[in-house]
Amino acid sequence: MKKLKIGVIGLGGIANFHMEGIQASEDAELWSICDCNEEALASRGEQLNIPMERRYTDHKLMLRDAELDAVTIGTPNSNHFAAAHDCIQAGKPFALEKPIALNVEEASTLRDALAVNPMPHMVCFSYRYKAAVRYAKQLIEQGELGIIHHVYSQYLQSWGLNEDIPLVWRFRKDLSGSGALGDLGSHILDLHRFLVGETVRVFSDAGTIVKERNLIGAEGKGAVDVDDFCHVLARFEGGASSSMSISRFAYGRGNYQQVEVYGTKGALLYNLEEEDTLQAKFGDEQQFRSIAIPAECRVGQMQSFFDLLLGRGDGLDATIEDGYMNQLTIDRIIQSFTEERWISTLQEAVNHG
Ligand SMILES: NC(=O)c1ccc[n+]([C@@H]2O[C@H](COP(=O)([O-])OP(=O)(O)OC[C@H]3O[C@@H](n4cnc5c(N)ncnc54)[C@H](O)[C@@H]3O)[C@@H](O)[C@H]2O)c1
């Protein structure tokens, strides 16, 4: 069977995951690559055996290739809007990294452009593809937890503690939109929405712990103008109350992610480090216990993208609409910690729609 020809835009850390997924699939092949860094483009091109004519420094040129079926976009956040918008204009299906834009205005424009020119697409909220998360969603939808009252989540990393890390794009608002919030918090906000529903209001506190870092390619230091940590209280539509703790400064934590959901009849605890099981307690049970996860919950993100392109998606992939709601909530959280007050999110979404 003919394989889908996939182009990869941005050849940094997350592109390895995209490319591994392409290479592992029987449905797709790595067709072309794009990076604005010519050295990275040349070395990855050689390593991956991509012909010179299918290596690009500008994604617009890549998108002109009539043979190309779809692309993945794994560039820094500041490039997401341009790359995705150009895909929509060119009619090329795409998988876009999170957060989908620098702000809700960009996200809204993407949503509007797709409404005019709909096409298969996915936002890479990767933790939707964890088996434990999928099973938690099933159990919640079946009503096993009863009415949900609380959701308590953490996403903690420690790499920010290293003050030798220079002023990379993740520390600059113009290139990232926000700090730990958009980087890590976007995943938790998506999990909250995937599992429980819409967030209607937020109150948050955030801060920058290391305020300056060495400039890249120049002498001296530059200001870190995004959050190193962000803590959010929120309410869901329907009344459930949640908290979310996000940090790049949590000593000892590599990629620690946990979501706890408490209802009237049961509770679930998902932890990324134990992704093959789900901790649960139902009815009169004495203790939380590990529950096995059905095989159907084991899916891969990149294979899901190819399934979507081939018309056999399971309907659980994140769309630009999900990415828009995510960005809206991020922007309202920033507004909340800036103005030190509760901010409504749902009302804004209605106004934008
Ligand atoms: N889904 C996840 O779990 C997950 C995990 C890590 C990163 N990400 C997301 O992936 C994106 C990239 O993160 P990363 O860690 O790979 O970054 P990175 O800095 O390692 O790589 C980014 C690459 O994009 C290239 N690039 C920059 N501007 C470009 C442009 N205009 N055109 C083409 N290439 C360009 C850079 O040269 C670099 O090679 C971010 O949006 C991040 O939030 C998602």
Side-chain angles (χ1 to χ4, degrees):
M1 202 188 77
K2 186 179 158 289
K3 290 191 169 193
L4 295 163
K5 294 181 168 69
I6 308 295
V8 172
I9 304 175
L11 298 174
I14 198 61
N16 292 323
F17 177 74
H18 294 173
M19 291 191 286
E20 279 167 24
I22 296 167
Q23 285 162 338
S25 174
E26 291 181 351
D27 297 318
E29 66 179 300
L30 178 57
W31 179 250
S32 53
I33 55 176
C34 170
D35 201 292
C36 61
N37 178 329
E38 291 185 20
E39 269 176 47
L41 185 67
S43 73
R44 298 308 288 275
E46 291 308 300
Q47 185 196 349
L48 296 160
N49 215 10
I50 304 288
M52 289 296 285
E53 65 273 19
R54 287 193 249 130
R55 301 179 195 173
Y56 304 88
T57 51
D58 181 343
H59 69 257
K60 283 191 174 159
L61 299 178
M62 177 192 254
L63 295 175
R64 282 187 200 163
D65 177 1
E67 283 193 76
L68 179 71
D69 290 305
V71 301
T72 70
I73 303 168
T75 48
N77 305 350
S78 54
N79 182 248
H80 289 182
F81 173 76
H85 202 260
D86 289 339
C87 284
I88 297 168
Q89 300 306 321
K92 286 286 184 215
F94 60 92
L96 173 62
E97 273 305 337
K98 42 51 65 178
I100 67 165
L102 287 179
N103 52 52
V104 72
E105 288 74 22
E106 285 187 353
S108 167
T109 305
L110 285 182
R111 188 177 72 156
D112 293 349
L114 256 181
V116 175
N117 198 6
M119 68 189 64
H121 68 279
M122 163 196 281
V123 178
C124 300
F125 285 121
S126 307
Y127 299 98
R128 284 188 178 212
Y129 298 94
K130 295 298 171 191
V133 169
R134 293 256 158 156
Y135 192 37
K137 183 173 175 64
Q138 278 185 17
L139 293 171
I140 291 168
E141 283 176 357
Q142 287 161 8
E144 299 290 335
L145 272 63
I147 296 165
I148 292 171
H149 286 317
H150 298 309
V151 183
Y152 301 126
S153 301
Q154 294 174 299
Y155 196 175
L156 308 176
Q157 297 183 345
S158 58
W159 61 274
L161 284 164
N162 181 353
E163 297 194 26
D164 292 336
I165 296 179
L167 196 69
V168 292
W169 66 266
R170 281 185 163 83
F171 293 117
R172 290 178 45 181
K173 192 172 173 65
D174 60 335
L175 299 179
S176 63
S178 67
L181 170 60
D183 207 14
L184 310 181
S186 62
H187 282 299
I188 295 295
L189 291 171
D190 185 65
L191 287 179
H192 282 190
R193 189 160 181 276
F194 189 59
L195 294 172
V196 179
E198 300 291 0
T199 293
V200 294
R201 62 179 193 266
V202 294
F203 182 81
S204 68
D205 178 38
T208 308
I209 294 169
V210 173
K211 295 191 167 42
E212 290 187 318
R213 292 187 183 257
N214 289 331
L215 292 170
I216 298 171
E219 289 292 305
K221 288 182 176 271
V224 175
D225 56 1
V226 294
D227 54 290
D228 284 333
F229 68 89
C230 183
H231 299 152
V232 182
L233 290 177
R235 279 289 178 138
F236 288 98
E237 207 172 20
S241 174
S242 73
S243 71
M244 165 175 118
S245 305
I246 305 298
S247 182
R248 293 171 168 165
F249 279 70
Y251 182 88
R253 294 303 191 187
N255 200 35
Y256 181 90
Q257 187 184 93
Q258 181 160 291
V259 178
E260 296 171 59
V261 186
Y262 295 93
T264 46
K265 296 196 308 189
L268 292 174
L269 188 158
Y270 147 78
N271 186 298
L272 181 59
E273 287 163 16
E274 296 150 30
E275 62 182 85
D276 289 334
T277 58
L278 199 54
Q279 296 290 316
K281 188 171 184 302
F282 296 112
D284 298 333
E285 288 172 346
Q286 294 297 306
Q287 290 178 332
F288 278 80
R289 61 185 167 92
S290 290
I291 51 172
I293 295 171
E296 84 228 26
C297 294
R298 294 182 203 287
V299 292
Q301 175 185 304
M302 297 312 293
Q303 184 57 46
S304 295
F305 180 48
F306 309 137
D307 288 344
L308 182 73
L309 296 174
L310 294 168
R312 52 182 198 222
D314 62 10
L316 294 177
D317 306 306
T319 62
I320 283 288
E321 178 65 25
D322 296 311
Y324 165 79
M325 289 305 296
N326 191 270
Q327 188 67 56
L328 174 76
T329 312
I330 288 173
D331 282 24
R332 296 306 161 238
I333 290 169
I334 295 171
Q335 188 184 352
S336 172
F337 67 66
T338 306
E339 299 178 9
E340 300 183 359
R341 65 184 181 92
W342 281 93
I343 305 289
S344 160
T345 57
L346 201 61
Q347 194 52 43
E348 291 291 333
V350 171
N351 290 344
H352 267 276

